[in-house]
Amino acid sequence: MKRLSIVIILVLLICKSYATDQLKDILLLNGHKYDLYESPLEQVKNISDKIRLKMGDSSLATNTGCWRGYQAKWIVKDNILYLSEVKQCHSGKVINDVIEQALGKKFQKGLMKADWVNGYSWYGKDIAPKYIVGTTVYRHEYRLSLTKGLVIEIKESPYLPCEYSDHEKIRKLVFSHIDWSKYPGITNKKIEVLANVSVNKTGQITDVNIQNNSNLDLNNEII
């Protein structure tokens, strides 16, 4: 199963598609290091806003390669997912104390049990020779199934090389299916959406997850 990252820019309903690969969170599991497709911290509602509130609006600077403004490290021990470290992207400063304030939880011996994490978390290693629309693709991909931070299952997904280059087709597909009448106030506004799309070996979409959206009201409509 492949993960396709798409960034959609909406300006006056005249749009273009592009993507910038995002700095990945790091996962340590069974002595190996992996890249997480999405940060489990994003399961905390408005986590970036909460961090900015604790640090000051300008203290969590972002860029096109790190929209969240932070990078986190995680470890699985005894089938439990723990958060071990969070750094600012632009400065490399460790902000664990800020995370404690934002989450209302404490690190114990350098680890915080990630008991807010549920569902699937995808991770991978060994970058494949080709990229898909700007996002890294891995030869080895895994799906971590979690319930309140407890690892329920780890499933490997086979590497299926594929190519996608026609941005215009995907732009037309997405925008032709949006009911714009629901969003009369969107004119003259710029909206950035980064979506992870999972497809099966026949190319059928099996899941869509919004990784980042500057207008949360559009999430369900984009999906």
Side-chain angles (χ1 to χ4, degrees):
M1 185 175 292
K2 296 267 84 68
R3 310 288 285 180
L4 177 65
S5 290
I6 305 160
V7 177
I8 303 169
I9 299 294
L10 321 176
V11 183
L12 289 171
L13 312 189
I14 306 255
C15 324
K16 90 175 181 180
S17 300
Y18 72 93
T20 301
D21 197 17
Q22 297 294 294
L23 185 66
K24 303 291 192 299
D25 278 11
I26 303 301
L27 174 67
L28 299 178
L29 175 62
N30 295 329
H32 297 282
K33 180 180 176 181
Y34 302 91
D35 290 345
L36 279 159
Y37 281 100
E38 302 166 22
S39 176
L41 271 173
E42 293 300 297
Q43 290 199 19
V44 179
K45 187 176 181 180
N46 300 324
I47 182 61
S48 292
D49 290 339
K50 291 179 179 178
I51 295 173
R52 288 189 180 92
L53 182 63
K54 298 297 181 182
M55 299 182 64
D57 289 341
S58 63
S59 298
L60 194 63
T62 62
N63 55 56
T64 56
C66 187
W67 283 6
R68 299 188 302 266
Y70 65 83
Q71 182 189 35
K73 291 184 178 180
W74 309 80
I75 186 171
V76 171
K77 296 181 62 176
D78 300 324
N79 287 326
I80 296 175
L81 179 67
Y82 293 93
L83 174 63
S84 63
E85 183 180 84
V86 182
K87 290 184 177 181
Q88 290 177 295
C89 287
H90 73 289
S91 69
K93 178 183 177 181
V94 176
I95 56 171
N96 284 12
D97 57 334
V98 176
I99 296 300
E100 288 182 332
Q101 296 177 51
L103 299 183
K105 296 171 61 68
K106 292 289 186 180
F107 285 89
Q108 303 292 335
K109 296 182 179 180
L111 299 175
M112 178 188 291
K113 184 178 178 180
D115 53 12
W116 65 88
V117 181
N118 294 286
Y120 299 136
S121 287
W122 284 87
Y123 61 96
K125 69 174 183 177
D126 300 333
I127 297 176
K130 290 188 177 181
Y131 284 44
I132 299 179
V133 196
T135 191
T136 308
V137 177
Y138 299 90
R139 290 186 179 277
H140 302 281
E141 296 181 313
Y142 305 86
R143 188 184 72 182
L144 195 65
S145 178
L146 301 119
T147 299
K148 295 183 178 180
L150 177 66
V151 176
I152 305 300
E153 180 187 43
I154 297 176
K155 184 177 180 180
E156 183 172 6
S157 180
Y159 168 62
L160 301 172
C162 57
E163 296 183 12
Y164 188 87
S165 59
D166 196 334
H167 294 196
E168 182 63 17
K169 282 186 178 180
I170 202 164
R171 184 194 72 81
K172 288 182 177 179
L173 172 68
V174 172
F175 284 85
S176 65
H177 287 82
I178 292 178
D179 184 356
W180 295 108
S181 64
K182 296 179 181 178
Y183 310 97
I186 204 172
T187 303
N188 292 325
K189 291 184 178 180
K190 176 181 175 182
I191 298 172
E192 298 184 351
V193 180
L194 176 62
N196 288 323
V197 180
S198 300
V199 298
N200 61 23
K201 64 177 64 178
T202 66
Q204 293 179 313
I205 294 175
T206 58
D207 185 45
V208 179
N209 177 263
I210 302 297
Q211 182 174 334
N212 199 312
N213 189 349
S214 58
N215 187 323
L216 298 179
D217 294 337
L218 272 174
N219 274 3
N220 289 334
E221 191 69 22
I222 291 291
I223 289 173

